[in-house]
Coordinates of all heavy atoms in Angstrom, one line a residue:
Chain A
S48 N -14.2 -0.8 7.2 CA -12.9 -0.1 7.5 C -12.4 0.6 6.3 O -12.8 0.3 5.2 CB -11.9 -1.1 8.1 OG -11.5 -2.0 7.1
K49 N -11.4 1.4 6.5 CA -10.7 2.1 5.4 C -10.1 1.0 4.5 O -10.1 1.1 3.3 CB -9.7 3.1 5.9 CG -9.0 3.9 4.9 CD -7.9 4.8 5.5 CE -7.3 5.7 4.4 NZ -6.1 6.4 4.9
Q50 N -9.4 0.1 5.2 CA -8.8 -1.0 4.6 C -9.7 -1.8 3.6 O -9.3 -2.1 2.5 CB -8.4 -2.0 5.7 CG -7.4 -3.1 5.4 CD -6.2 -2.7 4.6 OE1 -5.8 -3.5 3.9 NE2 -5.7 -1.5 4.8
E51 N -10.9 -2.0 4.0 CA -11.9 -2.7 3.2 C -12.1 -2.0 1.9 O -12.2 -2.6 0.8 CB -13.2 -2.9 3.9 CG -14.1 -3.9 3.1 CD -15.6 -3.6 3.4 OE1 -16.0 -2.6 4.0 OE2 -16.4 -4.5 3.1
I52 N -12.1 -0.7 1.9 CA -12.4 0.1 0.7 C -11.2 -0.2 -0.3 O -11.5 -0.5 -1.5 CB -12.4 1.6 1.0 CG1 -13.6 1.9 1.9 CG2 -12.5 2.4 -0.3 CD1 -13.6 3.4 2.4
L53 N -10.0 -0.1 0.2 CA -8.9 -0.4 -0.7 C -8.9 -1.8 -1.3 O -8.7 -1.9 -2.5 CB -7.6 -0.2 0.1 CG -6.3 -0.3 -0.8 CD1 -6.2 0.9 -1.7 CD2 -5.1 -0.3 0.1
K54 N -9.2 -2.7 -0.5 CA -9.3 -4.1 -0.9 C -10.3 -4.3 -2.0 O -10.1 -4.9 -3.1 CB -9.7 -5.0 0.3 CG -9.7 -6.5 -0.1 CD -10.5 -7.3 1.0 CE -12.0 -7.0 0.9 NZ -12.8 -7.6 2.0
E55 N -11.5 -3.7 -1.8 CA -12.6 -3.8 -2.9 C -12.1 -3.2 -4.2 O -12.4 -3.7 -5.3 CB -13.8 -3.1 -2.4 CG -14.4 -3.6 -1.1 CD -15.5 -4.7 -1.4 OE1 -16.3 -4.5 -2.4 OE2 -15.6 -5.6 -0.7
I56 N -11.5 -2.0 -4.1 CA -11.0 -1.4 -5.3 C -10.0 -2.2 -6.1 O -10.1 -2.5 -7.3 CB -10.4 0.0 -5.0 CG1 -11.4 1.0 -4.5 CG2 -9.7 0.6 -6.2 CD1 -10.8 2.3 -3.9
I57 N -9.0 -2.7 -5.3 CA -7.9 -3.4 -6.0 C -8.2 -4.8 -6.4 O -8.0 -5.2 -7.6 CB -6.6 -3.3 -5.1 CG1 -6.2 -1.9 -4.9 CG2 -5.5 -4.2 -5.6 CD1 -4.9 -1.7 -4.1
I58 N -8.8 -5.6 -5.5 CA -9.0 -7.0 -5.8 C -9.9 -7.2 -7.0 O -9.7 -8.0 -7.8 CB -9.4 -7.8 -4.5 CG1 -8.3 -7.7 -3.5 CG2 -9.7 -9.2 -4.9 CD1 -7.0 -8.3 -3.8
S59 N -11.0 -6.4 -7.0 CA -11.9 -6.6 -8.1 C -11.3 -6.3 -9.4 O -11.5 -7.1 -10.4 CB -13.2 -5.8 -7.9 OG -12.9 -4.4 -8.0
L60 N -10.4 -5.3 -9.5 CA -9.7 -5.0 -10.7 C -8.7 -6.1 -11.1 O -8.6 -6.5 -12.2 CB -9.0 -3.7 -10.6 CG -9.9 -2.4 -10.9 CD1 -9.2 -1.2 -10.5 CD2 -10.2 -2.4 -12.4
A61 N -8.0 -6.5 -10.1 CA -7.0 -7.6 -10.4 C -7.6 -8.8 -10.9 O -7.1 -9.5 -11.8 CB -6.2 -7.8 -9.1
E62 N -8.8 -9.2 -10.3 CA -9.5 -10.4 -10.8 C -10.0 -10.2 -12.2 O -10.1 -11.1 -13.0 CB -10.6 -10.8 -9.8 CG -10.0 -11.3 -8.5 CD -11.0 -11.7 -7.4 OE1 -12.1 -11.2 -7.5 OE2 -10.6 -12.4 -6.5
E63 N -10.4 -9.0 -12.5 CA -10.9 -8.7 -13.9 C -9.8 -8.9 -14.9 O -10.0 -9.5 -16.0 CB -11.4 -7.2 -13.9 CG -12.7 -7.0 -14.6 CD -13.1 -5.6 -14.6 OE1 -13.1 -4.9 -13.5 OE2 -13.5 -5.1 -15.7
F64 N -8.6 -8.5 -14.6 CA -7.5 -8.7 -15.5 C -7.2 -10.2 -15.6 O -7.0 -10.7 -16.7 CB -6.3 -7.9 -15.0 CG -6.2 -6.5 -15.4 CD1 -6.5 -5.5 -14.5 CD2 -5.9 -6.1 -16.7 CE1 -6.5 -4.2 -14.9 CE2 -5.9 -4.8 -17.1 CZ -6.2 -3.8 -16.2
T65 N -7.2 -10.9 -14.5 CA -6.8 -12.3 -14.5 C -7.8 -13.0 -15.4 O -7.4 -13.8 -16.3 CB -6.9 -12.8 -13.1 OG1 -5.9 -12.2 -12.3 CG2 -6.6 -14.3 -13.1
Q66 N -9.1 -12.8 -15.2 CA -10.1 -13.4 -16.0 C -10.0 -13.1 -17.4 O -10.2 -13.9 -18.3 CB -11.5 -12.9 -15.4 CG -12.7 -13.8 -15.6 CD -13.9 -13.1 -15.0 OE1 -13.8 -12.5 -13.9 NE2 -15.0 -13.3 -15.7
G67 N -9.8 -11.8 -17.7 CA -9.7 -11.4 -19.1 C -8.5 -12.1 -19.8 O -8.7 -12.5 -21.0
L68 N -7.4 -12.2 -19.2 CA -6.3 -12.8 -19.8 C -6.5 -14.3 -20.0 O -6.1 -14.9 -21.0 CB -5.0 -12.6 -18.9 CG -3.7 -13.1 -19.6 CD1 -3.5 -12.5 -21.0 CD2 -2.5 -12.7 -18.7
E69 N -7.2 -14.9 -19.1 CA -7.5 -16.4 -19.3 C -8.3 -16.6 -20.6 O -8.0 -17.5 -21.3 CB -8.4 -16.9 -18.1 CG -7.6 -17.7 -17.1 CD -8.4 -17.9 -15.8 OE1 -9.7 -18.1 -15.9 OE2 -7.8 -17.8 -14.7
L70 N -9.3 -15.7 -20.8 CA -10.1 -15.8 -22.0 C -9.2 -15.7 -23.3 O -9.3 -16.5 -24.2 CB -11.2 -14.8 -22.1 CG -12.4 -15.1 -21.3 CD1 -13.4 -13.9 -21.4 CD2 -13.1 -16.3 -21.9
I71 N -8.3 -14.8 -23.2 CA -7.4 -14.5 -24.3 C -6.5 -15.8 -24.6 O -6.3 -16.2 -25.7 CB -6.5 -13.3 -24.1 CG1 -7.4 -12.0 -24.1 CG2 -5.4 -13.2 -25.2 CD1 -6.7 -10.8 -23.7
Q72 N -6.0 -16.3 -23.5 CA -5.2 -17.5 -23.6 C -5.9 -18.7 -24.3 O -5.3 -19.5 -25.0 CB -4.7 -18.0 -22.2 CG -3.6 -17.2 -21.7 CD -2.3 -17.5 -22.4 OE1 -2.3 -17.6 -23.7 NE2 -1.2 -17.7 -21.7

Side-chain angles (χ1 to χ4, degrees):
Chain A
S48 63
K49 187 185 180 191
Q50 193 46 215
E51 189 206 14
I52 299 175
L53 186 67
K54 185 197 72 190
E55 299 265 323
I56 293 171
I57 294 182
I58 298 297
S59 66
L60 276 169
E62 289 177 340
E63 224 179 313
F64 276 105
T65 298
Q66 203 180 324
L68 187 53
E69 258 168 38
L70 278 178
I71 293 170
Q72 279 291 44

